[in-house]
Amino acid sequence: RKVPRSLGVPALVFAFLVLGASVRGPGGPLDAVRWTLLYLGPLAFGAAVLTARASPERWARVALMVALIPLIWSLFLLFDGQRSELFLHGYNRLVGPYKNHHNLAVMSSGVGTIAVYVLLKDRGYWRWLALVTGLGCGVCLFYTYVRTSWLLVAGFVMLFLVLEKRWSLVALGVALVAAAFALSPTLRDRFSEVGHLLTMTPPEAGWGSIGSWRVHIWTDSFAHFAAGGWSSILFGEGLGAHLVQHKALDPHSEYLALLYQLGIAGPLVYLWLFGAAIFAGWRRRSPWGNYVIALTLVTAATCLISNDFLGRVTFCWAFWAAVGLAWAELPEPGGDGRHQHEGGQDAERLGELGGKIR
């Protein structure tokens, strides 16, 4: 099938912006190629999944089985004492088979959302596989101590349950979160800054230290970027420019990263893409559609405060594959309407059968 305009148009606009920015930027040609593949590869993969008309249930099962490899490896390294090798912001963190603990957090959170879907919507031994995989992802995710991934999973679960109208599970989830905060000093410490925001009292190091110094990184990087004038704001400074605005660090916000590289159109077009994903989930009106809506909303929210989406291959590719699966089940404009009229055809068959019986 063809890629629908509501998804294809923003994808093409984004590709045009990325390709235009690839000839600029502080890095060399190889660096430009790497960023181009990182940004456009997931969208191309999602389009391939869409045209292949794959089954969401089969895709989710395959994803769980493939995820067992890094998951088992990560759990082995956890029990082997790998956490002692990385101490950051007061915690010994699990890295797993990756170079960075954020990569493990992103993998665990993405697979965790798939495990939730399979657990609630599949059957038989697949639900047991989802339960075991989900618990393993939860353990690995906890020991990375990456708060944005914690928030993504918690937000996804609550939104998905609300969209599925599983009110008893929503109440259970709220109770479990409250109990976790009451019983876990680690959770209270990792989110202690929420108290400063609610009471409007700055921490000892000042407001800039909020969120592992995110506020300082945002303001400092934007000031450095804005010094380039209106041309920088309108057109960006090329691929890789987000890494030269503040001490060779990413700006801890995907929208700022897109702004610094592609100009003002970058974050706006990507929000357009997120809107197309939500539209696909809404039109499908199915559990998988609800999965896509919940995942898109929490992903778009966490992109405000992290760079764990566009630059992390695992989650970004899986996300756009999920969106492609949602679009694949929708009827094509001007097509034979097969998906739209299946229910009506079934009713006609039942009516004919009833007439024969009478």
Side-chain angles (χ1 to χ4, degrees):
R1 65 166 298 158
K2 297 179 181 179
V3 177
R5 288 183 180 180
S6 53
L7 181 62
V9 171
L12 287 176
V13 173
F14 183 71
F16 174 79
L17 292 174
V18 171
L19 292 175
S22 66
V23 298
R24 300 175 286 124
L30 291 179
D31 194 51
V33 170
R34 181 174 72 90
W35 285 111
T36 301
L37 292 176
L38 277 174
Y39 287 167
L40 300 185
L43 292 173
F45 182 61
V49 171
L50 189 159
T51 56
R53 287 188 179 275
S55 164
E57 288 70 24
R58 183 177 300 175
W59 179 86
R61 293 171 179 177
V62 171
L64 288 183
M65 290 188 292
V66 172
L68 287 175
I69 299 173
L71 181 60
I72 293 173
W73 195 350
S74 298
L75 290 172
F76 169 77
L77 292 173
L78 172 64
F79 291 108
D80 193 47
Q82 187 199 54
R83 288 177 57 210
S84 62
E85 300 175 10
L86 176 64
F87 185 80
L88 183 65
H89 296 307
Y91 294 93
N92 290 104
R93 305 186 183 225
L94 181 65
V95 178
Y98 303 96
K99 293 183 178 180
N100 188 292
H101 62 292
H102 282 269
N103 292 331
L104 176 59
V106 167
M107 185 280 293
S108 300
S109 59
V111 175
T113 64
I114 298 172
V116 170
Y117 174 82
V118 174
L119 182 62
L120 293 177
K121 295 300 174 181
D122 215 321
R123 59 189 181 277
Y125 58 84
W126 292 109
R127 298 179 71 180
W128 287 104
L129 174 63
L131 178 62
V132 172
T133 305
L135 291 174
C137 287
V139 171
C140 291
L141 180 59
F142 179 81
Y143 285 112
T144 63
Y145 298 103
V146 176
R147 290 171 293 185
T148 51
S149 292
W150 289 358
L151 290 172
L152 185 144
V153 172
F156 165 81
V157 171
M158 297 306 294
L159 276 175
F160 183 61
L161 292 177
V162 168
L163 291 171
E164 287 290 300
K165 299 179 181 179
R166 305 289 291 270
W167 304 116
S168 59
L169 291 179
V170 171
L172 177 61
V174 172
L176 289 175
V177 170
F181 271 92
L183 299 175
S184 174
T186 298
L187 285 177
R188 293 197 300 273
D189 177 62
R190 291 297 287 158
F191 291 99
S192 61
E193 293 165 336
V194 175
H196 294 289
L197 295 174
L198 293 176
T199 59
M200 294 303 295
T201 55
E204 292 184 9
W207 287 114
S209 65
I210 291 288
S212 300
W213 293 94
R214 272 174 170 76
V215 175
H216 173 68
I217 293 172
W218 294 338
T219 55
D220 185 70
S221 63
F222 184 78
H224 186 277
F225 168 72
W230 284 106
S231 61
S232 294
I233 296 174
L234 291 175
F235 305 110
E237 298 180 353
L239 297 185
H242 63 303
L243 297 178
V244 299
Q245 307 298 333
H246 177 83
K247 301 178 181 178
L249 292 175
D250 61 62
H252 286 56
S253 170
E254 294 289 10
Y255 302 121
L256 286 179
L258 290 171
L259 172 66
Y260 297 163
Q261 296 174 95
L262 310 180
I264 190 64
L268 294 178
V269 172
Y270 217 88
L271 285 171
W272 186 5
L273 283 167
F274 281 146
I278 294 172
F279 180 62
W282 174 77
R283 283 195 63 193
R284 184 164 181 185
R285 294 182 177 87
S286 69
W288 189 256
N290 291 335
Y291 172 88
V292 169
I293 292 173
L295 187 62
T296 304
L297 288 172
V298 296
T299 300
T302 54
C303 280
L304 282 169
I305 56 175
S306 74
N307 282 107
D308 283 347
F309 181 64
L310 289 171
R312 311 287 178 182
V313 175
T314 306
F315 187 83
C316 195
W317 283 62
F319 174 86
W320 287 112
V323 175
L325 290 168
W327 274 110
E329 290 299 310
L330 296 174
E332 294 188 61
D336 58 8
R338 177 164 51 90
H339 295 283
Q340 290 178 321
H341 301 300
E342 282 179 350
Q345 292 172 354
D346 291 340
E348 291 176 2
R349 295 191 190 100
L350 288 174
E352 293 173 0
L353 179 60
K356 291 178 182 179
I357 293 175
R358 286 195 296 270

